[in-house]
Structures are given as structure tokens and as C-alpha cells.
Amino acid sequence: MVDPKGARQTMSALAKILSQRIAQHGPLNLADYMGECLLHPDHGYYTQQEAFGRSGDFITAPEISQMFGEMIGLSLGATWQAQGAAKDAIAVELGPGRGTLMQDLRRIAPAVPGFDSLPIHMIEASPRLRQTQSDALPSVIHHSDASQLPHAPLFVIANEFFDALPIRQFRRNSTGWEEILVGCDANGLCFGKAAPQPYHFLAHRLEDTAPGMIVEYCPALPSIVAQISQRIADFGGAALIIDYGDWRSQGDTLQAVCQHQHADPLAAPGSADLTAHLDFEALHNAARAAGLRPTRLATQGVFLERLGLTQRAQILAKSLNGAALESHIAAHRRLTHPDEMGGLFKVMGLVPEGAAVPPGLEP
């Protein structure tokens, strides 16, 4: 909770735990703080409450309309078919929420003969969400991280997965980079900074930044992308990455959302979702290092329209009227319009060298 003057009121249970940890061991980098806020076993955001849908704190594209998952299914299914329809292939989703996207993908999968028989694997760290996903898709196979995925052709969807991975933040000054840290003062948790120093993974950012600018770095991203990319490079498959962000990290994109409203990310740790924009350049570079060919970045709206979302919307609209029809039209606009998710969210595909790109991402 925050009072009108911005001073933090009663500490949450997790805030007390983190304050004690900071008092004993010193400030936390932002990635450690985000990790605790999202996945603390007792007080983490994803371990204690319903995050998704209208009753949660935010609504993802699959919750807006069944059409989103259906279009993903058509794109991945056609890619699987174009690569020879491998019998040992698996469908994989990273951070599947309530399993809604995969349910919708399964509904459309019979349009690509055989694609609906692929086993479903999900990467999910939250025990609570694993149960929800198993209720929705009883045959799902869960893994804690990408390193546990089978050595097989992978057809992967990651929708709003990478934005939830913890990030570190750095502010450039005249002599190096000051890392932004989470400490504690008389009012509770607060932001601070470390002494400036060089960081090898930020060396290339000296070219496009000036003193005072902030850049973000996701420590977990290279490893996760490498695990997936290596399997696709070795065995075949493809990945569709859909998230908000842009080609290169620039500025402070950390945000907290609670009950569909923006919140102070330090006010009540564990009660709000914390996310940051995906750096698609980092994703591209990690995939290239493993031997894959990333596609050009496309907006979500263009990607979905190329797959025939409007035609699908028109078919579904024929059986609707009144409020249901108005809601359907609004969902189509929200998913595709440049001023809404259609422009904010970007899509990148990852395929082996020489393979056709997933439909919707053609040059």
C-alpha cells in the first residue's frame, strides 16, 4: 500500500523477509528481488494467487479470445508439416498460465492432420499453476526448466514468458555502469545504486548510450534460449516468441501491475506482477549462437492478420449477436490494432538454417 505522499505503509510478509535479508547481507540486485517477488515458495506472486484473467491482475492474449491460440496452432502446425511431420515431435509452451492457449491450439490442431497427437510439454515453476494446467490438459508433462526437455523436435510457443524473467538494471555514468539495487531505509524498501564498474555483457551498449541512460539485462535469457535452440538445431522444430518489447533494451521498463492497475514495484512485494520488456536483440543473438535462424521481428497485429485472424473472426461472428458480438469485435481490435496489443507486442520465429519460416512471419 502507498499513501498519497508516496511513503510506504504496513510491510507485507515478503517485504519483512527481504528487509531482514538486506540488513544481514546487503542490497539485492533487481533480478534477485524480482525472483523472490514472483516465486517465493510462501509469498510469491505466482505461488499464492490467481494472476490471469478478469479475476486476476492482467489478461493475456489467450484470455482475450480463442482466436489467438488457434492462429498459433495453425502456424506451428504448418511448420511441423513443412518439416516432414516428425512422429517424435512435441509441442512445448513456456510459462503457460492457465493452459488456455494450448487448449485453443488443440482445438484447431486437427486442421493439420496428426498435429493434434503431439504430446504437450510445459515449462512451469509454480506448483499452483501446474495444477491448474493439469486440470485443463490432463495429459500435460511438466518441467521446471528448459534443460529438462526431451531431445526431440520441439515446436515451441512462448507468449508473455520472457517478460516475466527477472532483469538487472544499469545506469551509465562517465566511468562505467552503476547497477540499480534494492535496499532498505526508514520507510521500507527503496532503490539505490552500486559503485560504477564495467560489465562485459554491456560493453556493446557503450556505442548507443550516453551518461544517465538505463539499460536492462536478463541473466536467465541466454541459457533458456540456448537450451531450446540447441534442440531445434539438432532435431528440428521451431519456436514462436511473442512478447512486448523491441529490438534493443533502452530505458527503465520495469513495471508492477496489481488488479489491472500500475503499482509501485517496491510497495508490497508478492502482491503485484513484475515484468520488463523483452530485448529481442538478446533473444536473436542467443538463438544465432546455437545455430538457428531467427526471423525478422513482426508486430503481433501483422502476424495474426497474415494467418487469417480477420477471416476467422468473421466466421465466429455469424453465430453471435448483442453483447457477445460487441465483445468479439473488441477482442479482435485489441489483438490486432496498432494502438493496442497489435503494435505493442512483437513476434520472432526461430527455425533451423534452411527451414521455412513459420507462416505469418514471411519476409
Side-chain angles (χ1 to χ4, degrees):
M1 298 291 291
V2 180
D3 69 19
K5 296 180 180 179
R8 295 180 181 86
Q9 297 177 342
T10 306
M11 277 192 176
S12 68
L14 184 55
K16 293 178 181 177
I17 293 171
L18 295 177
S19 296
Q20 292 170 357
R21 177 175 165 184
I22 291 167
Q24 292 176 353
H25 304 291
L28 302 171
N29 68 43
L30 199 52
D32 289 341
Y33 174 75
M34 287 181 68
E36 292 288 354
C37 289
L38 297 176
L39 291 172
H40 186 280
D42 297 318
H43 307 293
Y45 180 75
Y46 288 118
T47 56
Q48 67 172 339
Q49 59 189 303
E50 177 60 66
F52 302 92
R54 300 188 187 281
S55 62
D57 288 325
F58 58 88
I59 301 175
T60 61
E63 310 284 345
I64 293 171
S65 171
Q66 71 183 64
M67 297 184 294
F68 182 80
E70 290 173 350
M71 296 300 104
I72 299 297
L74 290 175
S75 182
L76 280 182
T79 306
W80 169 75
Q81 203 170 49
Q83 290 188 20
K87 302 297 185 185
D88 59 340
I90 62 174
V92 180
E93 186 173 3
L94 311 185
R98 298 193 297 194
T100 305
L101 188 155
M102 195 59 79
Q103 283 184 300
D104 294 334
L105 183 150
R106 270 292 198 234
R107 181 185 304 110
I108 205 72
V112 183
F115 190 58
D116 56 334
S117 65
L118 268 58
I120 296 174
H121 292 243
M122 290 181 170
I123 306 297
E124 180 57 69
S126 166
R128 188 175 185 277
L129 287 174
R130 281 191 178 199
Q131 185 57 57
T132 301
Q133 294 152 13
S134 294
D135 291 342
L137 297 153
S139 61
V140 66
I141 300 167
H142 280 108
H143 307 281
S144 298
D145 59 68
S147 67
Q148 298 172 350
L149 287 170
H151 291 259
L154 306 184
F155 291 83
V156 180
I157 173 64
N159 178 61
E160 291 197 61
F161 169 77
F162 286 97
D163 65 40
L165 294 181
I167 53 135
R168 295 167 68 182
Q169 280 188 341
F170 302 86
R171 180 182 287 109
R172 186 179 168 188
N173 72 4
S174 57
T175 60
W177 299 94
E178 302 169 334
E179 182 162 16
I180 296 170
L181 304 175
V182 176
C184 199
D185 63 16
N187 291 321
L189 297 172
C190 62
F191 288 116
K193 61 184 180 181
Q197 59 179 298
Y199 294 90
H200 69 88
F201 49 83
L202 296 178
H204 67 294
R205 298 309 306 274
L206 295 174
E207 301 172 359
D208 70 326
T209 57
M213 289 185 175
I214 291 176
V215 299
E216 297 171 340
Y217 172 74
C218 179
L221 183 148
S223 175
I224 294 172
V225 176
Q227 294 284 353
I228 294 167
S229 298
Q230 196 60 60
R231 283 164 174 72
I232 293 174
D234 291 344
F235 303 100
L240 288 174
I241 314 299
I242 305 174
D243 227 315
Y244 55 88
D246 221 318
W247 177 246
R248 178 174 284 186
S249 163
Q250 189 84 282
D252 176 7
T253 71
L254 175 69
Q255 68 172 359
V257 175
C258 183
Q259 297 177 350
H260 301 276
Q261 300 293 323
H262 289 287
D264 179 346
L266 300 181
S271 67
D273 182 39
L274 298 180
T275 63
H277 286 197
L278 170 58
D279 180 346
F280 277 95
E281 181 186 40
L283 175 74
H284 174 281
N285 291 343
R288 288 291 294 174
L292 293 191
R293 179 168 62 94
T295 67
R296 291 184 178 181
L297 205 56
T299 64
Q300 176 178 295
V302 168
F303 171 70
L304 294 175
E305 290 291 12
R306 285 177 172 177
L307 290 169
L309 186 81
T310 292
Q311 291 86 343
R312 177 60 173 159
Q314 291 169 343
I315 292 170
L316 293 174
K318 292 178 181 178
S319 62
L320 302 174
N321 53 57
L325 179 59
E326 291 178 7
S327 177
H328 177 63
I329 293 170
H332 176 269
R333 175 185 169 84
R334 188 168 180 186
L335 289 174
T336 61
H337 197 278
D339 292 336
E340 300 200 37
M341 295 176 76
L344 175 63
F345 282 74
K346 311 298 192 305
V347 187
M348 181 177 284
L350 309 177
V351 293
E353 287 287 355
V357 303
L361 293 174
E362 300 89 351

